[in-house]
Amino acid sequence: MDQTKLLARLLELPRSLGTLIDLETYLRSILSAAAELTDSETASLMEYDEVAQELRFKVVPWFHWEAVRSAKIPLNSSVAGWIFLNVKPLMIDDVKNDPRHYGEIDNLTGFTTRSLLGVPLLLHGKAMGVIEVFNKAHGAQYGGEDIFILEALAALAATAMQNDLLESSALLSQNEARSLDRLKNEFIAITSHELRTPLGLILGHSTFLRELVGNEYYEQVDAIIRNATRLKEIIESLSSVDNYQTGGASLRSRMVSITRLIEDVSASFRDMAVEKGVTLKTINESAQDLFVDADGNKIAIVLSNLVKNALAFTSLGGHVTIRSAVESNFVKVIVEDDGLGIPAIDLPHVFERFYQVESHLTRKHGGMGLGLSVARSMVEMHGGRIWVESMEGRGSSFIFLLPFEQKKEVPVAERPFAG
Ligand code: ADP
């Protein structure tokens, strides 16, 4: 074959790699090119089975497949085995006089091997299989050019096989990750469910006790109640993200004055702000009371989580401001602080469940990395959006949008913090 045609034929194969759907079809096209370009009767490809430590056929002409599909080629008494173990090409002009030939395959297929050429399939210098061509036409002998062609084709086959292996293992890891995530969700759902009942009992009995014990043990029983309440909040956070992710959460929407809700939440954090020496204020940038059609309790949780964080990450003398405004069809709420800020590298992750910027072991603040993921779930349940803008050392702004309700009449505002 003339050199240009040979090159063109060889180059066709890597090009078709992107368009062929499956590995077998591709390897088949490599084998037919191998037989055609070396002027051979047929070709086959064997793969090393690491567990059985034998070679097995991966692709052979279709009419031989049934005969050899379960055949094993012993490494120590076959030509393919010799090529594999020595990691070298091998040409045999007269197979019947070569003791290395493994006659069993000819017996199975009814094919008569007269001459052959084989080369190893190499990956990073290690053999992973063997490719062979058989019976050069007109009794001719295989030569250097045939080795060159077969080695080029073997390299293509090895790359394709490796790609296929990588693809399967990526798919496997993806499936494993999914099933781990499912297990984690189940664990969270079961644990929070199981913890709720005993915790409810602890809270109920200790509240009862607090009334009974009077001043003497009031502080101790109060500490039990405060910490049990904290535990209850953690469990609620865990299960609310879980409910949202599994589609189990429901909304009890009604017209809510977000302006009033902001005032209530802000009031509930006044003591904490004073204690920290941080100025906490609210600014309504629109002239009117702003209403949203929302589950007031859930929006109060969103706001509380943001304000709690803003206070936690702002030091003495700092400022936390809750702004509200109307932006096209949305009410926009911004909780801004001039505190610690968040490193750019962490910004894309802070809304992920259990994500914390500081290591859990070294951080000064409590929390489980749940507050923001709860906030995001709840805002998204309302058809809203939440994001953060922050600069390390300068402060952070957590911003969320909720669909704006235009109704003018004075609605019944939910006051989750009232009473
Ligand atoms: P946690 O309840 O553990 O604080 P969150 O989900 O509320 O978890 O927050 C995730 C992480 O985002 C926090 O650990 C903190 O590092 C960072 N973060 C949240 N809000 C702020 C803020 N206002 N300023 C600086 N860092 C913040």
Side-chain angles (χ1 to χ4, degrees):
M1 185 180 272
D2 97 34
Q3 295 296 312
T4 324
K5 270 199 192 136
L6 173 69
L7 208 59
R9 183 77 174 91
L10 279 177
L11 286 175
E12 237 170 59
L13 286 158
R15 262 194 236 128
S16 65
L17 184 56
T19 54
L20 288 172
I21 332 132
D22 64 303
L23 178 67
E24 197 190 316
T25 315
Y26 185 66
L27 294 180
R28 230 167 244 300
S29 65
I30 287 183
L31 282 193
S32 58
E36 179 194 329
L37 298 176
T38 59
D39 225 358
S40 302
E41 202 172 322
T42 187
S44 69
L45 189 148
M46 283 146 274
E47 187 177 32
Y48 181 58
D49 178 339
E50 296 225 10
V51 181
Q53 303 199 337
E54 291 156 342
L55 288 164
R56 284 171 193 272
F57 285 103
K58 187 155 179 79
V59 188
V60 291
W62 62 267
F63 44 86
H64 286 157
W65 180 242
E66 273 312 311
V68 300
R69 60 185 305 169
S70 48
K72 297 157 186 171
I73 302 115
L75 289 187
N76 289 316
S77 49
S78 69
V79 171
W82 188 95
I83 295 167
F84 179 83
L85 292 173
N86 290 280
V87 198
K88 274 201 262 200
L90 181 65
M91 292 182 284
I92 303 180
D93 297 331
D94 184 9
V95 166
K96 68 176 178 311
N97 286 325
D98 195 304
R100 286 170 295 193
H101 180 56
Y102 180 60
E104 186 55 25
I105 303 303
D106 279 2
N107 293 341
L108 288 170
T109 55
F111 182 81
T112 308
T113 307
R114 291 188 301 275
S115 61
L116 70 77
L117 161 66
V119 300
L121 288 173
L122 295 176
L123 193 79
H124 308 309
K126 208 175 146 235
M128 62 189 292
V130 172
I131 185 166
E132 285 180 340
V133 285
F134 306 96
N135 299 353
K136 193 160 174 85
H138 318 298
Q141 296 182 349
Y142 286 109
E145 185 174 277
D146 297 319
I147 296 181
F148 166 79
I149 292 168
L150 206 56
E151 279 181 339
L153 293 170
L156 290 178
T159 315
M161 285 160 71
Q162 173 69 358
N163 281 349
D164 191 66
L165 218 65
L166 288 176
E167 226 170 80
S168 326
S169 79
L171 209 68
L172 203 71
S173 317
Q174 232 175 44
N175 288 340
E176 271 171 14
R178 266 196 213 113
S179 87
L180 277 178
D181 200 49
R182 213 191 45 245
L183 274 180
K184 182 191 71 187
N185 287 344
E186 276 170 19
F187 173 76
I188 290 173
I190 294 170
T191 317
S192 45
H193 180 77
E194 290 300 313
L195 286 175
R196 232 180 247 134
T197 314
L199 205 54
L201 287 171
I202 292 174
L203 268 171
H205 286 292
S206 46
T207 311
F208 175 68
L209 270 182
R210 188 171 56 181
E211 302 306 314
L212 283 187
V213 294
N215 282 345
E216 200 181 345
Y217 295 109
Y218 186 90
E219 228 173 81
Q220 284 81 351
V221 181
D222 196 54
I224 295 175
I225 295 175
R226 265 187 287 114
N227 286 291
T229 310
R230 174 83 194 103
L231 270 181
K232 191 166 168 258
E233 280 168 13
I234 293 174
I235 292 166
E236 292 311 323
S237 301
L238 275 172
S239 49
S240 52
V241 185
D242 191 62
N243 276 340
Y244 173 72
Q245 288 185 342
T246 53
S250 62
L251 276 182
R252 271 187 286 148
S253 290
R254 51 205 252 207
M255 285 286 280
V256 176
S257 159
I258 196 103
T259 313
R260 186 171 239 162
L261 200 138
I262 289 172
E263 290 305 329
D264 286 344
V265 171
S266 167
S268 74
F269 281 100
R270 201 159 294 142
D271 290 349
M272 186 174 165
V274 171
E275 214 173 283
K276 285 214 68 179
V278 172
T279 312
L280 172 64
K281 63 177 182 207
T282 61
I283 300 176
N284 180 357
E285 287 174 353
S286 93
Q288 45 172 328
D289 240 17
L290 300 174
F291 290 96
V292 285
D293 186 13
D295 188 326
N297 285 321
K298 291 199 165 52
I299 301 305
I301 292 173
V302 173
L303 212 49
S304 302
N305 288 356
L306 299 184
V307 175
K308 199 187 322 166
N309 280 345
L311 289 172
F313 297 104
T314 302
S315 18
L316 184 74
H319 303 81
V320 172
T321 309
I322 314 172
R323 286 178 196 280
S324 49
V326 178
E327 201 170 270
S328 46
N329 291 326
F330 291 92
V331 167
K332 183 179 190 179
V333 180
I334 308 172
V335 177
E336 65 185 34
D337 65 63
D338 53 4
L340 224 62
I342 300 169
I345 193 168
D346 297 296
L347 267 185
H349 305 290
V350 289
F351 290 98
E352 288 167 15
R353 196 151 48 150
F354 304 119
Y355 193 87
Q356 294 183 319
V357 173
E358 245 183 284
S359 148
H360 194 81
L361 298 175
T362 56
R363 68 193 244 130
K364 298 182 212 85
H365 314 281
M368 287 178 58
L370 282 172
L372 291 180
S373 63
V374 168
R376 181 172 65 180
S377 303
M378 290 184 171
V379 168
E380 287 177 355
M381 274 173 94
H382 286 83
R385 204 159 75 76
I386 185 167
W387 71 98
V388 57
E389 290 165 9
S390 182
M391 203 180 277
E392 201 176 356
R394 303 279 286 275
S396 315
S397 291
F398 283 85
I399 305 153
F400 67 89
L401 299 177
L402 291 173
F404 180 39
E405 271 303 320
Q406 300 276 9
K407 273 198 189 155
K408 287 283 182 287
E409 74 262 29
V410 181
V412 188
E414 278 193 11
R415 305 197 59 180
F417 283 84

